[in-house]
Amino acid sequence: MRKLLVIGTALAVATACSPAPAAPAATTPAPVNTAAAFGHEVRITSTGAVPKLLVSGVGEAVAWRNDSGGEVTVRLIDGTPPSGALKPGDVFSHTFTTAGTFAYTLDRESKSAKDPAGVVEVLPHEPAG
């Protein structure tokens, strides 16, 4: 055990005394996706869902709030029962019990949408450690 301690100390001293590594070449930062957010609420506006991508966790409820001028139905594409008609100001909430990517549509005024309006990315819980 003493040998390990001496070797570990020698490595620490050598590391502390070694020159700093060269800085990596400058790169252009990746663009920030302003349509993604962490949280628990999606606002439904007259132009669509805000944010388009919501990141949440297993066991957390996500709420869709109708801030548009008409009725909207939230329909998760995975087969979860739809919200029913949400009038302006109404909220629909769903708790995700499994990790995964869940797309949804926003059906407006009795017209079913075919393309996803947004996605909820549900992350698994990190193990305690």
Side-chain angles (χ1 to χ4, degrees):
M1 184 137 161
R2 185 172 182 174
K3 211 175 211 180
L4 288 175
L5 181 60
V6 171
I7 290 172
T9 303
L11 286 176
V13 170
T15 302
C17 294
S18 60
T27 59
T28 304
V32 175
N33 182 355
T34 58
F38 288 86
H40 300 98
E41 185 176 83
V42 176
R43 289 182 46 241
I44 303 167
T45 69
S46 59
T47 59
V50 178
K52 299 270 186 221
L53 171 63
L54 183 83
V55 179
S56 192
V58 170
E60 296 176 350
V62 172
W64 286 262
R65 184 179 69 210
N66 185 1
D67 288 343
S68 74
E71 289 187 355
V72 178
T73 299
V74 176
R75 188 178 311 276
L76 289 162
I77 295 175
D78 73 346
T80 299
S83 65
L86 300 174
K87 294 180 176 143
D90 286 352
V91 175
F92 166 67
S93 181
H94 178 70
T95 300
F96 291 90
T97 58
T98 58
T101 302
F102 300 90
Y104 60 90
T105 62
L106 298 176
D107 300 348
R108 296 180 185 268
E109 308 293 331
S110 302
K111 295 177 186 171
S112 294
K114 295 187 189 318
D115 295 325
V119 174
V120 177
E121 181 72 30
V122 181
L123 305 176
H125 285 292
E126 293 291 323

